Amino acid sequence: MGKVVRLYWGYMVAAALVVGWSQQWALPVVAALSIGVSVYAAFQVPVWCGAVNRDGQTYCRNNAYGVLMGCSKRQHRWQKIKMIVMRSKAGDFSRAVFPTAKEKFNAFLAVGGLLSAVAAVIVPVVTG
């Protein structure tokens, strides 16, 4: 049970974030939950690696943690970071990071968490 909680705690935080926005919890709590969801999706959610293999046509199917991280192979970690930074690799990045619906959902969680954090900071400024 502890391993399941350790691997999938971000989904529970995402559910709490939805409840927090709907119940209008304090904005610092919503911001903290938003950052937690984003960090989980970017660096800890269990996914496939998705880095390009040496043949240049297939993608690595090893287990990795986080949408932005590679598997245990050092070259794969650097390759995914380079795909994010280099503009010409945007298509390769999208195919590598989002090969299945699960990875697309996790990327949606990461972006949604970031947008929620920004909204939690901007809402008090705008509303005064």
Side-chain angles (χ1 to χ4, degrees):
M1 181 66 172
K3 182 178 180 181
V4 172
V5 172
R6 190 170 10 106
L7 284 176
Y8 298 107
W9 63 268
Y11 294 119
M12 293 180 276
V13 174
L17 179 62
V18 170
V19 171
W21 274 111
S22 66
Q23 298 293 319
Q24 297 178 350
W25 289 355
L27 291 176
V29 173
V30 172
L33 290 172
S34 301
I35 292 169
V37 167
S38 297
V39 168
Y40 172 75
F43 299 109
Q44 196 174 359
V45 67
V47 293
W48 288 335
C49 174
V52 179
N53 289 324
R54 289 183 186 229
D55 64 6
Q57 297 175 352
T58 60
Y59 298 101
C60 177
R61 301 278 296 226
N62 291 338
N63 292 331
Y65 293 101
V67 173
L68 300 179
M69 303 300 289
C71 62
S72 61
K73 297 177 183 172
R74 185 181 330 162
Q75 183 63 31
H76 286 188
R77 284 189 223 130
W78 282 110
Q79 184 181 18
K80 287 186 83 171
I81 291 171
K82 279 194 276 185
M83 281 193 287
I84 294 168
V85 174
M86 296 177 71
R87 188 173 196 164
S88 65
K89 301 284 186 176
D92 293 339
F93 175 72
S94 65
R95 281 190 295 277
V97 174
F98 315 123
T100 65
K102 180 182 177 184
E103 280 80 9
K104 289 175 184 163
F105 177 73
N106 291 325
F108 174 75
L109 274 180
V111 171
L114 285 175
L115 291 175
S116 177
V118 169
V121 171
I122 292 177
V123 165
V125 172
V126 172
T127 59

